[in-house]
């Protein structure tokens, strides 16, 4: 659901997917925006630790594909299935490309479409294994070719192509441009969960983007976003800081997300007020409802308050495999 980061133009990777890429800012958070910590050094596996590449990719992890169900056949009865039947690798695919709000509850998607009252449409398609295959975000397109290990991204006539490094379960460990420069890298914990993604000058932007994911009992509870502009080889200037809390109800259904975008001073630091609290520029609260028979939400209302105020309604249409 983002309304931030148009000029960074990296809406595909976990930002600006739901509401769109219409406004000036996007959420990203410095490590100082929360007391919750992310263990990325001792409990993560880097690309080198994986020691695998697209050239040696094995068969992907799959799960049993359910019968097709259309979200038009909705019911307000919650599913009794409280534990998702999705593999960690499939969940990682969603989190690398999109946001935790778009994860399935327990059944594989074939397609999901997000329509907003702001007249924006987003479509994400998935392959038969459940991984993100391609998407269209109002003309911003992305495609993942798992056979050739290529990532194609951009507008209709200005697309970039990147070489992907996969592991044996089709997790994206990293990507390189045609010059061999690393533009994306991922880190994973000991259970295989994606816990950090870094983008460096992705889509030819002079921006470094970082996201960190915090889990509790295999469920995403918090996402931290940061964006920086490099000044020189040693200095990075923060331009965006954001954190997102994800709230679930007793039936393991997504209930609410609360996204805070923090105010930055001219030097890039988060502003601290006289109460020793971090100043919040925007707070976006999204409330989810109208769960279908698979416990996936199909309606949402997102209210933004702070220096900018607006309300946007979302409709989510899902086609299952």
């Amino acid at each position: 659901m983002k309304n931030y980061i148009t000029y960074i133009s990296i809406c595909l990777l976990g930002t600006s997917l739901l509401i769109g890429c219409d406004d000036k800012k996007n959420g990203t958070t410095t490590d100082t925006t929360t007391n919750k910590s992310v263990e990325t050094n001792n409990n993560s596996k880097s690309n080198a630790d994986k020691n695998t590449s697209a050239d040696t990719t094995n068969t992907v992890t799959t799960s049993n594909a359910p019968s097709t169900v259309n979200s038009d056949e909705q019911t307000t009865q919650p599913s009794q299935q409280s534990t998702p039947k999705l593999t960690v690798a499939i969940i990682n695919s969603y989190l690398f490309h999109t946001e935790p709000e778009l994860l399935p509850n327990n059944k594989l998607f074939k397609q999901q479409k997000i329509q907003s009252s702001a007249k924006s449409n987003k479509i994400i398609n998935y392959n038969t294994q459940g991984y993100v295959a391609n998407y269209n975000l109002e003309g911003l397109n992305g495609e993942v070719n798992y056979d050739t290990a290529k990532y194609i991204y951009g507008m209709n006539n200005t697309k970039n192509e990147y070489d992907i490094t996969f592991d044996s379960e089709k997790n994206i460990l990293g990507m390189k441009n045609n010059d061999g420069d690393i533009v994306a890298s991922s880190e994973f914990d000991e259970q295989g969960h994606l816990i950090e993604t870094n983008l460096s000058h992705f889509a030819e932007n002079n921006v470094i983007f970082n996201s960190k994911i915090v889990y509790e009992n295999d469920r995403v509870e918090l996402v931290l976003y940061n964006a920086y502009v490099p000044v020189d080889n040693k200095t990075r200037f923060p331009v965006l800081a954001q954190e997102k809390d994800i709230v679930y109800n007793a039936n393991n259904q997504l209930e609410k997300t609360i996204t805070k975008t923090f105010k930055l001073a001219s030097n890039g630091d988060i502003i601290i007020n006289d109460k020793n609290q971090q100043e919040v520029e925007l707070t976006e609260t999204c409330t989810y409802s109208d769960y279908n028979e698979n416990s996936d939400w199909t309606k949402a209302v997102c209210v933004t308050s702070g220096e900018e105020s607006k309300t946007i309604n979302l409709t989510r249409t899902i086609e299952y495999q």
Side-chain angles (χ1 to χ4, degrees), residues 102-228:
L102 298 183
L103 277 166
N105 188 280
N106 56 67
K107 287 192 175 183
L108 295 181
F109 290 169
K110 181 178 181 181
Q111 181 189 86
Q112 61 176 313
K113 178 186 295 185
I114 310 297
Q115 297 172 291
S116 84
S117 56
K119 308 301 181 182
S120 63
N121 296 319
K122 326 291 182 185
I123 299 176
I124 308 101
N125 295 300
Y126 306 86
N127 64 16
T128 56
Q129 285 77 37
Y131 297 89
V132 173
N134 59 73
Y135 50 83
N136 186 327
L137 312 180
E138 298 178 311
L140 185 61
N141 300 287
E143 179 182 351
V144 187
N145 191 317
Y146 293 92
D147 295 324
T148 62
K150 298 290 184 181
Y151 200 110
I152 302 170
Y153 173 76
M155 306 297 284
N156 291 333
N157 299 320
T158 55
K159 293 184 178 180
N160 297 293
E161 183 175 289
Y162 302 101
D163 293 319
I164 305 173
T165 297
F166 287 117
D167 69 5
S168 62
E169 293 187 336
K170 296 296 186 181
N171 288 304
I172 296 179
L173 304 182
M175 295 193 293
K176 293 182 178 181
N177 61 21
N178 292 332
D179 296 325
D181 299 322
I182 296 174
V183 297
S185 61
S186 302
E187 293 190 10
F188 305 82
D189 65 14
E190 293 179 349
Q191 289 73 44
H193 300 118
L194 176 66
I195 60 171
E196 185 169 0
T197 299
N198 290 283
L199 302 178
S200 180
H201 307 291
F202 186 84
E204 300 182 357
N205 283 282
N206 187 33
V207 174
I208 297 171
F209 180 82
N210 172 272
S211 64
K212 294 181 180 179
I213 304 171
V214 179
Y215 298 83
E216 185 173 333
N217 297 325
D218 293 325
R219 191 170 63 179
V220 179
E221 297 285 338
L222 177 72
V223 185
L224 309 176
Y225 301 103
N226 292 277
Y228 310 90

Side-chain angles (χ1 to χ4, degrees), residues 15-39:
T15 59
S16 303
L17 185 55
L18 295 185
I19 287 181
C21 307
D22 306 321
D23 300 319
K24 295 181 181 179
K25 302 183 179 100
N26 178 29
T28 43
T29 314
T30 60
D31 296 340
T32 60
T33 60
T34 177
N35 291 327
K36 300 181 181 179
S37 62
V38 184
E39 295 291 338

Side-chain angles (χ1 to χ4, degrees), residues 60-66 85-87 90 106-108 128-130:
V60 299
T61 302
T62 61
S63 60
N64 295 331
K85 297 299 184 182
L86 310 171
T87 66
I90 289 174
N106 56 67
K107 287 192 175 183
L108 295 181
T128 56
Q129 285 77 37

Side-chain angles (χ1 to χ4, degrees), residues 242-298:
Q242 185 185 71
E243 68 179 25
K244 175 189 292 182
D245 283 292
I246 297 100
V247 180
Y248 304 88
N249 62 23
N251 295 308
N252 200 48
Q253 298 161 325
L254 180 65
E255 181 178 283
K256 185 181 296 185
T257 55
I258 303 170
T259 306
K260 295 179 181 179
T261 303
F262 296 92
K263 290 183 179 180
L264 300 179
S266 58
N267 64 355
D269 293 338
I270 295 177
I271 297 174
I272 305 298
N273 62 24
D274 55 6
K275 296 180 180 180
N276 200 33
Q277 297 173 331
Q278 294 169 323
E279 291 270 335
V280 176
E281 181 177 354
L282 295 173
T283 299
E284 180 190 75
T285 302
C286 294
T287 304
Y288 304 89
S289 62
D290 289 37
Y291 306 100
N292 64 16
E293 64 274 21
N294 296 311
S295 283
D296 293 312
W297 65 271
T298 63

